Amino acid sequence: MRIISIKKLRDFWAQHPTAKKPLQAWYADAKLAHWVSPNDIKMVYRNASIVANNRVVFNIKGNTYRLVIAIHYDFKIIYIRFIGTHNEYDQIDVTKI
């Protein structure tokens, strides 16, 4: 998969160093993945939440952080829409970011 953009992840882990290794692991997995449907994601990430508008929410570092992506399966592109703490996540509407 093509991931746009890792800069958001890097900026986040610069402020939250404990997120660096888990986000790097997620990035490495996602980059090599060949997800063609939400079921493919759920097979690898059982705790991922599939939500409306092609959004997927991943729990990072034991649910300390949340990563929201928008995914276009046909084009094999992942857009990083949000990365933040659990409390910051509670303040957003996942389907609209």
Side-chain angles (χ1 to χ4, degrees):
M1 304 292 292
R2 183 170 163 219
I3 303 169
I4 303 171
S5 105
I6 191 170
K7 183 180 182 329
K8 286 184 182 182
L9 301 181
R10 285 184 183 134
D11 290 347
F12 185 78
W13 76 53
Q15 294 180 11
H16 303 272
T18 60
K20 184 176 182 176
K21 286 193 187 278
L23 286 172
Q24 286 176 326
W26 177 87
Y27 182 84
D29 287 347
K31 190 173 179 179
L32 296 175
H34 298 285
W35 297 327
V36 296
S37 73
N39 289 336
D40 293 336
I41 296 171
K42 291 294 276 184
M43 288 176 65
V44 178
Y45 293 97
R46 293 181 187 203
N47 291 330
S49 299
I50 309 300
V51 294
N53 213 13
N54 287 328
R55 301 297 196 265
V56 182
V57 181
F58 295 91
N59 298 323
I60 304 295
K61 194 181 173 290
N63 206 19
T64 302
Y65 307 109
R66 294 278 180 97
L67 171 65
V68 179
I69 65 166
I71 187 166
H72 292 277
Y73 297 100
D74 294 340
F75 299 109
K76 300 192 182 319
I77 298 175
I78 294 171
Y79 297 94
I80 306 295
R81 303 302 299 156
F82 171 85
I83 179 68
T85 65
H86 198 276
N87 288 335
E88 292 168 337
Y89 170 82
D90 289 342
Q91 306 300 313
I92 65 167
D93 181 349
V94 175
T95 62
K96 294 184 180 176
I97 61 164

